[in-house]
Amino acid sequence: MVIAFKYLAPGEHGDIEIAGTGVGVHNIFFQHELGETPEQLIEGFRIPLAAVYEALAYAAEHHEEMEAIRRANAEIEERGMREARELIRNR
């Protein structure tokens, strides 16, 4: 069964996002996990409430994709921290 989304589309780098906004589904999902309500998310991202719910539904159905993005983001953050520590040491 194919599900058509009104607000979701592939972004520039292939991640699913709110069409035309650059806001990734993963951004909405991770912020929601941190305790932000859908109402807070629409204010912060300036997107329709239905788009938030579509993003959360997509994330729920694509758990592995969300976890892969989480791991990739953690690796990028760790690499940046290592580089920053190295720069400080070499002063």
Side-chain angles (χ1 to χ4, degrees), residues 8-60:
L8 304 183
E12 184 178 320
H13 302 289
D15 293 339
I16 300 300
E17 65 181 33
I18 307 302
T21 68
V23 176
V25 165
H26 62 279
N27 297 115
I28 294 168
F29 177 66
F30 297 152
Q31 290 298 107
H32 189 260
E33 277 190 326
L34 292 172
E36 288 200 36
T37 66
E39 291 74 19
Q40 290 169 318
L41 292 166
I42 65 171
E43 289 178 23
F45 289 117
R46 304 258 185 246
I47 58 176
L49 184 59
V52 170
Y53 284 114
E54 272 192 15
L56 293 174
Y58 180 91

Side-chain angles (χ1 to χ4, degrees), residues 34-85:
L34 292 172
E36 288 200 36
T37 66
E39 291 74 19
Q40 290 169 318
L41 292 166
I42 65 171
E43 289 178 23
F45 289 117
R46 304 258 185 246
I47 58 176
L49 184 59
V52 170
Y53 284 114
E54 272 192 15
L56 293 174
Y58 180 91
E61 291 293 320
H62 296 86
H63 181 74
E64 289 300 319
E65 180 181 338
M66 296 300 111
E67 289 307 310
I69 292 169
R70 185 189 316 274
R71 286 190 302 275
N73 287 346
E75 289 173 13
I76 291 167
E77 185 176 326
E78 179 57 35
R79 186 173 41 243
M81 293 298 289
R82 281 194 309 269
E83 290 172 3
R85 285 191 295 267

Side-chain angles (χ1 to χ4, degrees), residues 1-5 58 61-62:
M1 178 171 143
V2 175
I3 298 174
F5 291 103
Y58 180 91
E61 291 293 320
H62 296 86

